[in-house]
Each structure stands twice: as structure tokens, then as C-alpha cells.
Amino acid sequence: MTNQEAISRLSGEFCDNALERDYREGRAQQETAQIRLIWLLALLFFCAYGAVDVFLQNRGLALFQHRVLILLAGGLAIWLSPRLTRYTHRDALHSLALLMVCFCYVDLLRLRASPANPQGAILLLVIGIYAFSPARFRLALMCGVLCTLMFWISVGTQLGKIGGWVAHSYLVPANLLAALALSRLNRANRYLYLQQLKLLREQSRSRDLLYNTLPYSVARQLERQPHHLPYRQADQASVVFADLVNFSDLGRRHSSRRLLALLN
């Protein structure tokens, strides 16, 4: 299977579940660090806007409680994520926390009842789901669509179902464009991962060949200091030139260890 065939055209993820699992497990620490950064940024902005709602606009504590629930959902995901060993469990946790955040945030926009258009706020949330969600493509797509539906239901009750949906129909192309961008990003990351695996395999083969053809001390010195060629002085030496019949064919059919044993 070629590199292009190994990656799904739709999601940009590996078609082989085992390969996808290895890729995701290798990125577990990076995903956790990413969630922590997002949570800290959310904490900063939510505290700032919460203070504005409570002290400057006299909106009461209802909005502040919604922000607390959002931060608690993110904090729970951060605390539990490193303790889950399987990436499928982490994906489920992140998706549930993200759905709770979406629900609370949409309800928060409804309670604020601000005369300003909430398009920018919900658009940032939808794009953020695709850009920063560490879960698999289908789960990020599910969260983005459900967030859009929650918002449509919320604005539909205020502006009338048809009027609310049409007024915010821009969320449909926003979901499509964000999903396309996520698919391409996944594809680029996994192609780079395949190239790194190929490089590691080539390095391993070169190392095995080095240790199988040279004495251990010489091979070790070459590996540690490749620019300083080791040499040993021999006062007398004999050189034999030999040609083994069908040796090229043997080299294709047998491993380097088998050939070395044959030569010995």
C-alpha cells in the first residue's frame, strides 16, 4: 500500500486502525498540552467577560455560572485525559466535554440577549472545534454539527424558526470549510509521520548492516564518530578476491545475517 492509499481522502486519517492508533498514541502528550493551552486562554477571556457582565452590565450571576460550568468541563477533560491509556477513551472524553461546552456556550449567548449579533462568537466556536479538537475527524465533525444545531434551535425560538435558520445559514459553509481544512491538515501530518517512519526504518537497516559487516568496536566507533574513520595497522595481510556464483540472487533472497554466516 502506497502512502497515498494508506491515508483516507475524506478524513485525512490512516485507513489502517493499528497505524492510526500508533500515530495517536505518539501524540498523546502533545494533545494534552494543546488542551491545557486552550483551557488557559478560555479561563483568561471568560474571567474578563464574566467580570464585565457582573460588574458593568449588571447581568447577575447566571452568566457567570455558565462560564464556571464551561471551565469545569474543560478542567475535567484536562485532569482525566493523561490518565486514560487508550486514545478512543480520550476521544470520547474530549467529545463529551466539548459538547457540554457547546451547550453551555450557546445557552450563555441566549441568556446574554445582547443586541449585538452573536455570529462572530458562535463562528469562532465552530472553527475552534475543528482547529483544536484532538479527537478523530468524525467526532470533531459531529461536535461541530451539533453545536450548529444547538445554536439554530436557540435562535429559532427567538427569531422564528425559518428566520433564525436563514439568518445564520452561514454556519453550513463554515462547517464544510473547517472540515475540509481539518482533513487536509490531518493528511499533511500523517504523510509527514509516514516519512519519519520510513527514515527510521532506513536508519535501522543501515545500523544493522554496519554491525553485521564490521567488527563491533569499529562499527560502534563509526556510529558515535562518523567523521573519524577508525583504522588498525597490520604489518602483514593477505587479500583474497573471490566470486561466488549466484551471490546476487542469494542477496535478494536471504537476510544479511544469513549471508554473513554463509561467507564465514
Side-chain angles (χ1 to χ4, degrees):
M1 181 179 292
T2 63
N3 291 347
Q4 300 297 330
E5 295 172 346
I7 302 176
S8 171
R9 293 182 179 273
L10 176 62
S11 64
E13 298 173 345
F14 289 121
C15 299
D16 185 358
N17 290 330
L19 189 58
E20 179 68 21
R21 181 190 65 245
D22 294 340
Y23 171 79
R24 292 293 307 280
E25 294 298 341
R27 289 174 54 89
Q29 293 183 353
Q30 182 178 351
E31 291 175 354
T32 302
Q34 178 176 301
I35 296 177
R36 288 175 179 171
L37 176 61
I38 297 171
W39 185 82
L40 289 176
L41 291 176
L43 176 64
L44 175 64
F45 285 103
F46 277 21
C47 288
Y49 283 105
V52 170
D53 285 335
V54 174
F55 298 107
L56 298 183
Q57 299 187 8
N58 297 322
R59 295 182 184 273
L61 297 177
L63 301 181
F64 186 77
Q65 292 173 355
H66 276 68
R67 288 190 168 90
V68 171
L69 288 176
I70 293 175
L71 294 177
L72 287 177
L76 180 64
I78 293 174
W79 182 72
L80 288 177
S81 182
R83 292 165 171 78
L84 299 178
T85 57
R86 298 184 60 181
Y87 80 93
T88 53
H89 295 166
R90 293 196 301 270
D91 284 351
L93 171 67
H94 297 157
S95 299
L96 289 175
L98 188 56
L99 287 176
M100 181 177 177
V101 168
C102 292
F103 176 80
C104 292
Y105 191 70
V106 170
D107 199 42
L108 178 67
L109 294 177
R110 180 186 63 82
L111 290 176
R112 292 186 83 241
S114 175
N117 197 328
Q119 293 181 1
I122 198 64
L123 183 60
L124 286 177
L125 178 59
V126 170
I127 294 177
I129 289 173
Y130 291 95
F132 300 107
S133 174
R136 299 195 65 170
F137 177 84
R138 62 176 179 269
L139 293 177
L141 180 63
M142 178 193 70
C143 290
V145 171
L146 288 178
C147 177
T148 300
L149 291 177
M150 292 177 192
F151 183 69
W152 275 353
I153 293 173
S154 176
V155 299
T157 58
Q158 298 176 14
L159 305 178
K161 292 184 178 180
I162 302 299
W165 293 350
V166 173
H168 300 89
S169 59
Y170 65 92
L171 289 174
V172 174
N175 274 274
L176 293 176
L177 290 176
L180 178 61
L182 177 59
S183 175
R184 293 198 171 188
L185 179 62
N186 286 342
R187 190 175 184 84
N189 288 336
R190 282 156 178 80
Y191 182 78
L192 179 61
Y193 177 75
L194 288 178
Q195 296 299 108
Q196 292 174 346
L197 286 182
K198 183 178 179 180
L199 178 60
L200 290 176
R201 285 196 295 265
E202 293 297 329
Q203 290 177 345
S204 178
R205 290 179 57 186
S206 299
R207 187 177 185 276
D208 291 341
L209 181 61
L210 182 67
Y211 278 87
N212 286 334
T213 55
L214 295 176
Y216 178 83
S217 58
V218 176
R220 186 174 180 83
Q221 184 175 350
L222 277 176
E223 185 181 18
R224 289 185 172 183
Q225 299 176 333
H227 300 293
H228 298 280
L229 299 179
Y231 67 91
R232 293 178 182 178
Q233 182 176 353
D235 296 332
Q236 295 180 353
S238 299
V239 179
V240 175
F241 291 91
D243 182 21
L244 300 183
V245 180
N246 296 329
F247 185 77
S248 298
D249 183 59
L250 290 174
R252 287 191 294 268
R253 292 189 290 110
H254 299 290
S255 65
S256 57
R257 293 182 180 274
R258 179 80 176 272
L259 292 176
L260 184 61
L262 175 63
L263 293 177
N264 287 336

